[in-house]
Amino acid sequence: FQYACQKVNFTSVSRSSLSRAALLRPVLRLLSPSARTLFSDTGIWEKDYRTETRRKVEEWWHPRIMAQWQKDALEEVKGKFYVLSMFPYPSGRLHMGHVRVYTISDTIGHFQRMRGHQEVTTCLPDYYKWTQYLFIKLFEAGLAYQKEAVVNWDPVDQTVLADEQVDENGRSWRSGAQVEQKLLTQWFIKTTNYAKPLLDALEDLPEWYGVKAMQANWIGECTGCYFDFKLRVNGEETGETLSAYSSSPETVFGVAYLSILPSHRLLHGSSSVRSTLQKAFQPGRDSLTEVTAHNLFTGHEVPLVISHREAFDGYLDTVLGVPGCSEEDLSVARALNLRWTTVLETHEDGTQTLINSEEFSGLPREQAFDSITQKAREQKVGGHLTSSKLRDWLISRQRYWGTPIPVVHCGSCGPVAVPEEELPVTLPKLPSLTGKGASPLGAAHDWVNCKCPRCKGPARRETDTMDTFVDSAWYYFRYTDPHNPDRPFERHLADHWLPVDVYIGGKEHAVMHLYYARFLCHFCKDQGLVAHREPFWKLLVQGLIKGQTFKLADSGQYLKREEIDFTDKEPVALNGGRIEVTWEKMSKSKHNGLDPQEVVQQYGVDTVRLYILYAAPPEQDILWNVKTDALPGVLRWQSRLWQLVTKLRAARQLGDVPNPSVLKKKELAEAKKIWENKNYAIREVTTHFTEDFLFNAAMSRLMGLTNTLSSATVRLLQHSVEFEEALAALVMMTAPMAPHLASELWAGCPLLLRGGDVLQQSWPTVDPEYLEAPDFVELSVLINNKSCGTVMVPVQVSKDTIRVQQLVLESPIGQKLLGERSIKRAILSPRTALINFLVDE
């Protein structure tokens, strides 16, 4: 995974100084003169794969694999495969969750490279210049705007949080502090304009492990839209604009009033109509005000009403009142003695057409819905279909570590975008990084005070910075053209690489990050920057890595391990308190985290990679417990792989020239079994690497091939081509997961050398003869979860539980171990060639 860490190394200059490339680099150690040597260095092969040997292997191969990767990246390759892991935004050092995502992405990357696909790598320092460039594009398109809003305020981090960054207990996702409500002027991106296209585009994507449903639920049913209004008092413009939602936009010509909630910003902020509204407000009643709203679509002017209600549907705070469509709206209009126009005519067959709606009169209601919303969009006064639950993207943050918003505020011109040639707007150096309730950038007076780009008069820079989600919403574009100094990316390069073939990351980002990234890709498509509307094709959602937590039962306080007495069967706090033991997402505050570097120092890079891949399928959580079978299992497997090369070298050093013709009938049958197992493993492992990403199942199949080869006789090792080819395939298929070990195994057996290191080899393919031959599967037989051997069964019945059970019972293993026992249940694995018999002891 350290290679993958380097591949995603660019980020905002201000945000992180982490050297991710060095995060999991093998630890260099000074060895004594008597220390064991490495074959690649000395030509002497160590018989066993000890801890010291493993360290030497990783120290030797790490820089060589990195150098080869960088060299390969410069070569022209016909095929493309874009595998991408989600961008890290750590508050401190990288954690085991990052290790898991990079292990998965790096494994897929090595695999696809061996299949002839090019990879994408980058390391660029001035990234946020182009984040600012895209913000300006949004600003110029009318999609980035500023307004007052009641926001979630983190009193510890002293910054705004999006609703999604507040947990179910009302606490900040970052600091854990109880979130407060605060009214601030904030920057928003009008993502609601893209709600319907984002919802509809989900249908064209493959299954996303339930994430598509989460995205659809987040967006909601897009059955209504907003219309834009300008507010007036006594016929005079106030400078205030307002967008109001209608669930029946085809009835917009029948609007009688605009209704806002008592909590609306216009009654609490710095609005010019605040005093007028407060004067009219009567709590608990629908209050008619002297403020009127001019509909920019119909040209009609209607009164503004403060509703008696505390909430509307979803997150709405401003709605249209249409008496012809709603009994409640009709009641309000009558109580306030308002006038309105009837706009729907109902026919005997139940259908409805529009009346009194200018050019839309006479249209069926469904057709009018489409025509009115389309014209509103064309006139840029609303009409974008969205739901009542979706809100625009709040991107303002009152903190230093973020991309500066490239806008200056001029008393004459209003907000003005910084010219492109003046980008990037860089962060000033500050003695303090907190602003005590406001942005810390406000204290940098020399930086804040500037000239307006338009009129050259005095102006002030925007002091808020962007949420880091903005940076991560487009980085997949920059990867396609990482060193371009003139543009964020060239279109032909983005069009070649996108969409991302496999996007890997945690399910916790299944809503926010994916929604924002998809939105920005849709926007770039509309701007003519790219051809693709969707950025990602396959999504590989990984589970969490959880650590054991100990907390006091009465207070919920998390304890460190050194604060606990483990002498009895049940742990207790040193102060005597009862403890609850659970598995939770690793966190510093819960004292259950692991430093990846320490884990690597103890077990090695390859071991940690293999453990992560083997412990659970990617979408499932891993409960980190090194005492479980997964870690000892992968340690044993590495040693057994090493022993295979040791045995082959010893057999070939006996002096005889390999001669398959000397093999006897039984040995030829054994060689054929090896050949069949090799081809079966290639087929299964390739499928797992390309379709379901079940790396644990792929490793199980490779372990099965290892078992087959380990049982081969010395004469087979001496004279069979099948053993040699199967071992070569085994090492090549291990390489994406354990590149250091596989590289040394490949180098240690000259018979396997086919020009270049193992990672430069082509991925093994199934022999054509195997596809033509009667197909058999080596089925692992377990009894009460304990391995008892294998049985060959025809592929065509290998998924039939009853038929497989019958074949196993008729086999020598079945007759010996199951003939006299009562079978309670036989479980045939749907994913791997394995059957487990549960029997009475």
Side-chain angles (χ1 to χ4, degrees), residues 723-742:
F723 183 95
E724 188 176 302
E725 291 181 344
L727 180 55
L730 175 60
V731 174
M732 285 190 280
M733 290 188 286
T734 303
M737 298 181 286
H740 306 91
L741 172 61

Side-chain angles (χ1 to χ4, degrees), residues 222-227 229 243-253 255 258 295 316 318-322 325 329 365 369 372-373 383-388:
C222 298
T223 55
C225 73
Y226 288 91
F227 289 98
F229 292 79
S243 294
Y245 186 81
S246 171
S247 58
S248 302
E250 70 279 10
T251 64
V252 66
F253 286 90
V255 173
L258 242 64
N295 190 324
L316 300 175
T318 309
V319 296
L320 300 183
V322 185
C325 289
D329 292 356
R365 186 171 183 177
F369 179 99
I372 286 175
T373 54
H384 295 276
L385 298 184
T386 186
S387 72
S388 60

Side-chain angles (χ1 to χ4, degrees), residues 51-64:
T51 301
E52 189 177 279
T53 310
R54 183 260 298 164
R55 288 173 181 158
K56 289 290 291 182
V57 165
E58 294 184 355
E59 289 171 15
W60 176 270
W61 282 106
H62 173 76
R64 287 161 177 81

Side-chain angles (χ1 to χ4, degrees), residues 35-100:
R36 296 181 179 273
T37 55
L38 191 68
F39 176 83
S40 294
D41 188 18
T42 67
I44 301 173
W45 182 261
E46 287 293 332
K47 182 180 178 181
D48 299 311
Y49 192 58
R50 297 181 173 88
T51 301
E52 189 177 279
T53 310
R54 183 260 298 164
R55 288 173 181 158
K56 289 290 291 182
V57 165
E58 294 184 355
E59 289 171 15
W60 176 270
W61 282 106
H62 173 76
R64 287 161 177 81
I65 293 173
M66 289 295 296
Q68 186 62 49
W69 186 287
Q70 292 163 357
K71 179 182 177 182
D72 290 345
L74 301 176
E75 295 179 0
E76 289 293 329
V77 183
K78 291 182 180 179
K80 79 94 181 173
F81 193 91
Y82 193 171
V83 56
L84 181 64
S85 50
M86 288 185 181
F87 205 61
Y89 284 90
S91 56
R93 301 182 69 177
L94 297 188
H95 55 66
M96 292 304 296
H98 296 117
V99 171
R100 190 180 192 189

Side-chain angles (χ1 to χ4, degrees), residues 4 7-8 81-88 97-109 112 119 209 475 500-509 513-514 536-543 613 618-619 689 693 695:
K7 286 185 283 181
V8 294
F81 193 91
Y82 193 171
V83 56
L84 181 64
S85 50
M86 288 185 181
F87 205 61
H98 296 117
V99 171
R100 190 180 192 189
V101 69
Y102 294 142
T103 295
I104 294 171
S105 62
D106 193 55
T107 297
I108 297 175
Q112 291 294 348
E119 288 290 280
Y209 298 94
Y475 69 105
V500 173
D501 293 278
V502 180
Y503 193 40
I504 307 164
K507 201 165 187 174
E508 65 269 28
H509 301 301
H513 165 64
L514 281 176
F536 314 119
W537 180 240
K538 279 190 177 181
L539 182 68
L540 177 53
V541 178
Q542 68 167 48
L613 296 172
E619 69 273 14
F689 270 57
F693 305 111
F695 301 108

Side-chain angles (χ1 to χ4, degrees), residues 550-557 559 564 570-581:
F550 305 91
K551 60 182 178 181
L552 292 173
D554 54 353
S555 67
Q557 176 188 351
L559 300 180
I564 303 168
E570 297 294 331
V572 295
L574 293 178
N575 62 10
R578 188 170 65 87
I579 287 179
E580 293 180 354
V581 182

Side-chain angles (χ1 to χ4, degrees), residues 444 455 464 712 752 758 824:
C455 71
D464 283 356
L752 303 183
V758 66
K824 294 189 293 185

